Amino acid sequence: MSDHAAAQKYAASSDFIANAHVNLAQYDAMYAASVADPAAFWAKEGQRIDWIKPYSRVKDTTFKLGEVSIKWFEDGTLNVSANCIDRHMLTRANQTAIIWEPDSPETPALHITYAQLLENTCRMANVLKAQGVARGDRVVIYLPMIPEAAYAMLACARIGAIHSIVFAGFSPDALANRINDCDAKLVITADFAPRGGKKTGLKSNTDAALLNCDDRVKCLVVKHTGDQTSWVDGRDIDVKAEMASAKPYCAYVEMGAEDPLFILYTSGSTGKPKGVVHTSGGYLVYAAMTQQITFDYHDGDVFWCTADVGWVTGHSYIIYGPLANGATTVMFEGVPTYPDAGRFWQVCAKHKVSQFYTAPTAIRALMGLGPDWPAKHDLSSLKLLGSVGEPINPEAWSWYNQHIGHNRCPIVDTFWQTETGGHLITPLPGAIAQKPGSATLPFFGVVPVVLDPATAKVQDAVETDGVLCIADSWPGQMRTLWGDHARFEEAYFSQYPGYYFTGDGCRRDVDGYYWITGRVDDVINVSGHRMGTAEVESALVAHPKVAESAVVGYPHDIKGQGIYAYVTLMRGEEPSDALRKELEAWVRNEIGPIAKPDLIQWAPGLPKTRSGKIMRRILRKIAENDFGALGDTSTLADPSVVDELIANRMNKA
Ligand code: 6R9
């Protein structure tokens, strides 16, 4: 197996460290304090945001099965919208809050100041109020990456309504399920969503969804492209027109720290999606703190998180974290390869982006198109790079480091989840040297433990592997599943009583660094050897002809599980038996004979969610030659790749 401890360490430059919010000595001291006395630590950090009524009770949490309850800053009151906007008005009214970069580079970008953000949010809030939306009501947001998405989120927070964003790439069925599950009063959508030069009809999708929802659900429509859509009088409302005539100010509502801020559905592997609930106070403190410290954000920096707001990463690191800190945050409507494969880098240069945060899948895709694209653009404004969503393989890390960061930007590999609200395990760039592929060490207040999956015993040795659990609560943690607290306890606290179970496997190396090996159900057992599929994938993509790969297990007569690898080749490479042999030998060389794939299928495309996660559940089914019931495929970016993979499956036995 690869030698993690010996992996090369990369530290930030001494200049970077000198200016960083947190250096190593500070990290050590603050981390120790955060776990020795969490209430005292967070009592102080809670002051990062403005409270209407101060809290006196900081932490009231238990992971005890049957009684799981998580409350932070419980008796404090605040308004999240006021924290993200109003409190900056004295000092930053004319500073840009949001830079909106449209799908087409021909369309001018918008620079939305904090003063404009306040006015537009208030107008939107008044439109919602006029439609009868009140504190505690649910509002579903089904919008492209446009400024109205930010206004809608902050308008809900302002009046105490609970938003639930549904990816603009989701199907009418997925939308209807979510509207019904949270019993939303209203859905906010747009006529069309332009992405990569193509337009998706969001309004027509919403029309289809609403056929399966209560007749009372209202529909606010942002006329974004201006193309014609159908219109249901009495139900559909032109938001822009209503905003224009609405009052430009709306008072914010005093909310309890534990009042829900949003529900975000995650694509649970089976059954109906889980409505993850985040509340107001703890979530905002944690999003703000991690945005500032993990990315070492300073006043004047321009922060760009490329996620969609329909993903938790967009919630915490496009909207709530940056705006709570008074930052300038970039919101990008488009895709990395439109109009060409240099778009990300062109946008970085155009807006002088300081911190750039994206997913390994995007990096691998762009890596496959070659280093000439980034080389065309001035990337000298970049100070730090980030990665999120899955383990980043060392080759992608190196490419990112060399061709984007020019070997001078720390890379923060941030491990976290929809459920965790913000980063759990991540290098702090001025404090912790990075090892490519490792999320390194825990954020403040986070107590990771590694358990043996069979015995549930805590692994005390520093160097170990097992399942990753968290021993105590942190303020950004989810509080429940919408309408189903029993399922919440069952899903996260029942496997390993007393702990929050992340669902991920990990290794801890001799330096105490954590290496996330992927979801536990992605661990395969080949002839008695436990192996993270990510490890085999990482070896495959290290081959110069391989662009991407996904590895799953399938039943194997002799080995228990065999290794089934789906491989996407670099553009211009042709599949052949010789190349198949070459890849087998390559993996054997990289990891060892035990990791040699038993079956390799050439995959022109892989089934991915809109957030870029490969849906291994589907690939497992195909590999098992059991593709009758693939389950919910509504969250796939391109469902047609599945048929192609089934047709050319390797395990027809
Ligand atoms: C933020 C987000 C969560 C799952 C998580 C894990 C994987 C995320 C990672 C990572 C390795 C990282 N994951 N970040 N694995 N290294 N830096 O992605 O939330 O969509 O809920 O996914 O993603 O498997 O459990 P979410």
Side-chain angles (χ1 to χ4, degrees), residues 311 313 389-391 413-418 504 516 519 613:
W311 192 23
T313 308
E390 52 177 322
D413 178 355
T414 62
F415 166 75
W416 62 295
Q417 311 175 300
T418 306
D504 284 294
I516 309 300
R519 307 293 302 180
K613 282 194 186 23

